[in-house]
Amino acid sequence: MSIRHSQSAKSPPHTPQHHLRSNNNSFASTSSGSTYRVEEDAIIFDLGTRWLRAGFEGESEPKCVLGIGPNESRRAGDYRQWLKGTPVADDTLPQPPARPDDWTRPFELWHMDLRELDLGLVEDKIERMFREAYNKYLLTDAGSARLVLVLPSVIPHPLLSSLLTTLFNRWRIPSISLLTSAAMAATAAGLRSALVVDIGWAETVVSGIYEYREVTTKRSTRAMRSLIQETGRMFTRLLGGDSQPDTISVEFEFCEEVVSRFAWCQPSRSGYYKETAENSLADILDKTISIPSPSNPGSSDIELPFSKLEELVEKVLLAQGMADSDLDDQEKPISLLVYNTLLSLPPDVRGICMSRIVFVGGGANIAGIRSRILDEVAHLIELYGWSPVRGRLIEQQIQKLQSLKLSQSTPHPEATQSQTQITAKVEPTADTKYETADEPDQSDELDEPEVEIDPIEQKLLRTREKDAVPPVQGVLREVESLGPWAGASLVTGLKVRGLVEIEREKYLQHGLAGASRDAEHAHGHCHRDREHGIPDRRSLRAGDRSSWTLAGWG
């Protein structure tokens, strides 16, 4: 069983410990409310493809991290894990071969392709995970506090509707606020603008955030799911057997544990970094590691070269050894995806975002992957600059311009001799120097107004220049972040109103269609009032929730 999994199927029942919550910490904001009216803290849920993080506002980390798996999907009366002669009960028995997608699907809460997704099953999984978080970790009434959901910027509307319908129907939640994970990751890093690289489970998403707004987004299918599937194929080939060529017959938890412990990435192999990488990693690449056999852990170990896992990371995440022309738009390597995202940004936004690159997601924990991506992006910038034009003719023109520039920078010796002769002829004599010195300067005759210098303004200007810190921009730099959940906790603790706040009564009347309907209704009123010269009445009432939209999710 994986030690990274949050729940153990064989753990004995125990009484949960209730810890008193208080906002007396450095992460929580100071509240100015009265002592007679204590407002209930909002509950924050960060919902991803595999994990659910839950906790209270004002805290630096979530109370719990819950995962989904086959053991968590069992119903009452399902005793398959205690039946003898089955792989679920006996770890020594071989796993039946399965296709890669079927092998990873039981560990996913949802995926973007809704054609083969059972939304009813997704609703049941969501209800079970939320109920477990409330009853076992949060220990609070589910319908008394406001709910804040941190979601990806792109999520299918049927899936979002199923999520909101489940929460509003199962519990009497007064309102739900939606926040984007990329903007919250930048907020947790203390930034207003950033380039967020989320190496997640199903895909890698690179988002350009400028002043807390998502400017551009690019995606690639090179993520952790493909890496774990490739690891499963490798161990299936090492163990042999009569399995089919494109099937996996090892446990998912075993492959996930191997990737989390041993996956790594070399530094960049271009330019100066190539020599340093070869000199420093020559001894490491020759080493072998011993991994317990997944088919029979107590009998023998698998001897595996340490460089084998590094090759998997480069093949899956960085597309090592593959030409760019052979890849589709959704199969770009992560380094090229980051470069293309920076290239699509405006120049001023690009200069700020490239100096504030934030890595989040499970794939960002792989040793060496962050520095490798930054080195390859720097190499692409040095090679192509910020021009999207590619091709052999462009490269030939660049070489011609460089050779022409070199020829102009090194003058011929004949030209230098002629220039020295001309300067010798034009050089004035001593008599001409004295004559020019005796002549009066005509510029002195003009009365120019003298500019008064204020010493106080000069002093203020000097102190301002001394105290001002110029912003860092134009260089590649990585910034650490506490994650999307911590950013949402910080924003919610500051009582910042979100763009998407969904009231219970409004949603139960019309569902997601109520957002566009109310928006059109409000827009019609505003347009008619502006024609009659009447100001917007909604701006006079700050607490009005008569209209709501889905913002970026619409």
Side-chain angles (χ1 to χ4, degrees):
M1 193 66 181
S2 173
I3 62 174
R4 298 177 64 232
H5 212 275
S6 60
Q7 297 294 324
S8 176
K10 300 180 181 179
S11 61
H14 62 279
T15 302
Q17 300 294 328
H18 184 273
H19 299 281
L20 295 177
R21 294 183 290 108
S22 63
N23 281 342
N24 297 327
N25 51 47
S26 59
F27 195 81
S29 61
T30 57
S31 177
S32 60
S34 174
T35 57
Y36 295 100
R37 181 180 179 274
V38 179
E39 186 178 356
E40 188 73 19
D41 292 339
I43 301 176
I44 302 169
F45 287 93
D46 182 8
L47 187 63
T49 309
R50 292 191 58 201
W51 306 100
L52 174 68
R53 296 170 176 84
F56 297 96
E57 66 169 280
E59 297 183 354
S60 59
E61 59 183 8
K63 287 286 185 181
C64 62
V65 180
L66 303 177
I68 192 68
N71 293 330
E72 282 72 23
S73 301
R74 292 184 294 107
R75 296 184 177 182
D78 188 357
Y79 302 106
R80 286 180 297 173
Q81 65 175 357
W82 289 284
L83 295 178
K84 295 182 179 180
T86 58
V88 180
D90 193 355
D91 297 337
T92 60
L93 295 178
Q95 295 288 329
R99 295 186 303 171
D101 293 338
D102 298 335
W103 183 62
T104 56
R105 187 171 291 116
F107 298 90
E108 297 176 354
L109 179 60
W110 53 271
H111 49 84
M112 299 294 290
D113 190 3
L114 302 182
R115 291 174 295 182
E116 299 180 358
L117 184 64
D118 187 0
L119 293 178
L121 181 60
V122 173
E123 293 178 0
D124 294 339
K125 291 181 180 179
I126 290 174
E127 180 186 358
R128 174 171 292 191
M129 295 178 71
F130 274 77
R131 193 179 299 277
E132 182 180 359
Y134 274 116
N135 298 338
K136 194 172 182 180
Y137 297 98
L138 301 179
L139 303 178
T140 184
D141 187 9
S144 61
R146 184 168 61 94
L147 202 65
V148 178
L149 292 180
V150 182
L151 299 175
S153 59
V154 175
I155 185 171
H157 276 192
L159 188 60
L160 181 60
S161 177
S162 299
L163 173 62
L164 296 176
T165 303
T166 302
L167 295 178
F168 279 127
N169 288 336
R170 298 297 190 274
W171 298 280
R172 299 190 60 84
I173 299 173
S175 64
I176 296 178
S177 301
L178 303 183
L179 299 174
T180 57
S181 57
M184 293 302 102
T187 305
L191 303 173
R192 301 169 62 93
S193 305
L195 186 75
V196 181
V197 183
D198 185 4
I199 309 177
W201 170 250
E203 58 185 2
T204 297
V205 183
V206 182
S207 305
I209 306 297
Y210 185 71
E211 295 296 332
Y212 300 116
R213 294 185 179 182
E214 191 169 329
V215 181
T216 183
T217 302
K218 291 187 180 297
R219 301 171 181 273
S220 176
T221 56
R222 298 188 177 274
M224 293 302 295
R225 179 173 61 183
S226 302
L227 180 59
I228 293 181
Q229 288 176 353
E230 192 66 27
T231 306
R233 294 190 187 98
M234 181 190 68
F235 280 106
T236 302
R237 291 192 299 267
L238 290 176
L239 295 175
D242 299 332
S243 60
Q244 300 177 2
D246 195 17
T247 57
I248 301 175
S249 59
V250 294
E251 293 184 358
F252 177 85
E253 293 88 349
F254 174 80
C255 295
E256 186 182 17
E257 191 72 19
V258 170
V259 170
S260 63
R261 289 176 179 268
F262 297 105
W264 66 289
C265 186
Q266 286 191 28
S268 179
R269 298 180 180 179
S270 59
Y272 167 76
Y273 300 98
K274 181 178 180 180
E275 299 178 359
T276 57
E278 291 178 354
N279 296 332
S280 60
L281 299 177
D283 299 335
I284 300 177
L285 295 175
D286 297 335
K287 292 184 178 180
T288 58
I289 55 176
S290 298
I291 300 177
S293 175
S295 59
N296 194 359
S299 62
S300 61
D301 295 342
I302 298 177
E303 298 292 335
L304 191 66
F306 193 55
S307 60
K308 189 66 176 178
L309 295 170
E310 183 266 340
E311 294 175 0
L312 289 178
V313 175
E314 290 190 351
K315 176 184 176 182
V316 175
L317 299 183
L318 302 177
Q320 190 69 26
M322 301 181 65
D324 189 18
S325 58
D326 298 337
L327 301 175
D328 293 336
D329 292 340
Q330 72 274 9
E331 296 177 351
K332 299 295 183 182
I334 300 178
S335 56
L336 185 59
L337 190 69
V338 173
Y339 174 76
N340 291 337
T341 307
L342 289 173
L343 191 61
S344 63
L345 293 173
D348 53 345
V349 180
R350 181 195 307 154
I352 295 177
C353 290
M354 69 183 298
S355 301
R356 296 158 180 83
I357 300 179
V358 178
F359 288 93
V360 293
N365 297 325
I366 297 177
I369 189 66
R370 303 184 184 186
S371 59
R372 175 65 179 273
I373 292 174
L374 293 179
D375 292 342
E376 291 196 356
V377 172
H379 178 66
L380 290 173
I381 295 174
E382 182 182 359
L383 188 62
Y384 301 112
W386 297 113
S387 175
V389 184
R390 302 285 186 274
R392 296 180 180 177
L393 295 177
I394 301 300
E395 294 178 358
Q396 293 177 1
Q397 291 180 1
I398 292 174
Q399 292 178 359
K400 290 180 180 179
L401 292 175
Q402 290 178 354
S403 61
L404 181 62
K405 184 178 180 181
L406 291 175
S407 62
Q408 291 179 355
S409 60
T410 56
H412 297 285
E414 298 178 356
T416 55
Q417 292 179 2
S418 61
Q419 289 179 0
T420 53
Q421 293 176 2
I422 293 172
T423 53
K425 293 179 180 179
V426 178
E427 185 177 0
T429 59
D431 298 336
T432 57
K433 290 182 180 179
Y434 291 125
E435 291 177 359
T436 55
D438 295 338
E439 293 179 358
D441 191 2
Q442 297 179 359
S443 61
D444 296 339
E445 297 177 358
L446 300 176
D447 296 335
E448 296 181 356
E450 297 182 358
V451 179
E452 296 182 359
I453 299 176
D454 191 356
I456 299 178
E457 292 184 358
Q458 294 294 327
K459 185 177 180 180
L460 291 175
L461 183 61
R462 287 194 300 269
T463 55
R464 188 183 305 168
E465 293 177 354
K466 182 179 179 181
D467 298 336
V469 179
V472 180
Q473 59 181 0
V475 294
L476 289 175
R477 187 184 63 164
E478 178 192 354
V479 180
E480 293 286 342
S481 175
L482 295 177
W485 190 94
S489 175
L490 179 61
V491 170
T492 309
L494 294 175
K495 309 301 179 185
V496 178
R497 178 181 174 182
L499 291 177
V500 182
E501 292 191 4
I502 306 173
E503 298 290 339
R504 174 184 173 84
E505 290 77 11
K506 289 287 183 181
Y507 181 81
L508 293 180
Q509 288 179 2
H510 306 290
L512 288 183
S516 59
R517 185 178 305 174
D518 287 347
E520 293 173 359
H521 183 69
H523 179 72
H525 275 293
C526 292
H527 182 68
R528 186 167 59 253
D529 292 342
R530 287 174 183 174
E531 289 180 351
H532 294 284
I534 302 174
D536 187 8
R537 292 186 295 271
R538 291 182 295 117
S539 62
L540 303 178
R541 294 182 293 174
D544 190 10
R545 296 291 192 273
S546 60
S547 63
W548 61 279
T549 63
L550 290 176
W553 291 276

